[in-house]
Amino acid sequence: MKTKTRGDGPLLLLLHGGGGSVGSYDAVLDILAEQYTVVTYTQREGGPAERADEAARLLDDLGAKSAAVFGSSAGGLVGIELVARHPERVGLVIAHEPPFMSLLPDADEVTRAFLDLVGAPDGALRFLRLTGMLGPVDESVVQAAAANLSFDGREVAAFVNHRTDLGAVRASGVKVVLAAGKAVTGSLPFRSSEAVADALAAPMVIFPGNHFGYAPMPGVNDPAAFARTLLDLLRSQLSR
């Protein structure tokens, strides 16, 4: 497993989204590491359950008694699955736009749209258009992002079809906070965060930027502002 550790302080585990890697959060690591020991890693292939089990093993290896976890997109879903399967390993999970599409009122239609992307030659482009995760940007930006997006339709389908035991999450006593990007208000990822917050009776916090607010994107994302928002949220939740 490829891991990266930065900083000194309480442990903060970062879970990347689909197609991500150990370097996905590089733009925010220095700021987060001022107050935390920040650990990132490249997740194994597999669905949310397998990845949650892997995260639990990593926390065991790190000697973490009860870690704070931040996950974005698929990583946010993995973080909530981690609470359902291994609640003793975590004290706080912040899930930024996790893809719980099954909770949406138009879940059947949305799920079919995602499944139609499997094997499509233009799957990455259609994925970005469907989700609206980049926010209000020019079509040229969407085209460029699609050309550089690591897109796996089967992985997307596995996450969209997954059903986490939210009853177990509610019963766990672990703090869960939802987050969503201001630049993508009304998008599928934003609506998914709202739906999970409602299902768990959990708070939801608005972060700056789009679905990739932790990554540089001139005119849309400010990774430093994203990192400071996360630090403020961690401080407010962990001091209670």
Side-chain angles (χ1 to χ4, degrees):
M1 181 191 303
K2 188 174 183 179
T3 63
K4 181 185 297 185
T5 302
R6 183 92 50 95
D8 185 26
L11 179 65
L12 173 61
L13 179 66
L14 303 182
L15 300 174
H16 64 71
S21 70
V22 66
S24 292
Y25 292 106
D26 280 357
V28 297
L29 285 186
D30 285 344
I31 294 176
L32 297 177
E34 292 174 3
Q35 299 182 32
Y36 290 88
T37 298
V38 186
V39 177
T40 64
Y41 69 104
T42 300
Q43 297 168 36
R44 59 172 289 184
E45 293 183 358
E50 291 84 1
R51 296 188 186 198
D53 290 346
E54 177 188 46
R57 290 193 296 271
L58 175 59
L59 291 172
D60 284 340
D61 292 344
L62 293 170
K65 292 184 178 180
S66 184
V69 177
F70 173 87
S72 185
S73 192
L77 196 160
V78 172
I80 295 177
E81 184 71 16
L82 178 63
V83 176
R85 297 174 67 84
H86 305 280
E88 73 284 355
R89 296 264 52 90
V90 287
L92 169 67
V93 168
I94 300 171
H96 181 261
E97 300 184 5
F100 282 80
M101 301 303 165
S102 62
L103 298 179
L104 298 178
D106 52 347
D108 289 344
E109 178 184 350
V110 169
T111 299
R112 282 195 299 271
F114 276 108
L115 296 180
D116 285 345
L117 302 179
V118 178
D122 58 346
L125 180 59
R126 289 168 56 190
F127 175 74
L128 292 176
R129 288 173 175 166
L130 172 63
T131 59
M133 60 175 52
L134 296 182
V137 296
D138 292 338
E139 176 63 16
S140 61
V141 176
V142 179
Q143 296 271 356
N148 293 290
L149 182 67
S150 177
F151 177 77
D152 184 338
R154 289 183 177 82
E155 179 180 280
V156 169
F159 275 76
V160 169
N161 283 323
H162 183 75
R163 301 293 185 269
T164 295
D165 185 351
L166 295 182
V169 176
R170 287 191 293 269
S172 70
V174 176
K175 293 181 182 178
V176 177
V177 178
L178 279 297
K182 183 177 181 180
V184 292
T185 301
S187 68
L188 285 179
F190 193 102
R191 291 172 55 208
S192 180
S193 279
E194 291 179 314
V196 180
D198 286 345
L200 295 178
M204 177 167 152
V205 176
I206 303 302
F207 272 58
N210 62 20
H211 188 69
F212 306 100
Y214 50 85
M217 190 172 177
V220 180
N221 291 341
D222 180 348
F226 189 98
R228 288 191 293 269
T229 301
L230 178 53
L231 287 177
D232 287 345
L233 181 54
L234 288 164
R235 187 180 304 113
S236 69
Q237 293 297 317
L238 295 175
S239 63
R240 295 179 181 179

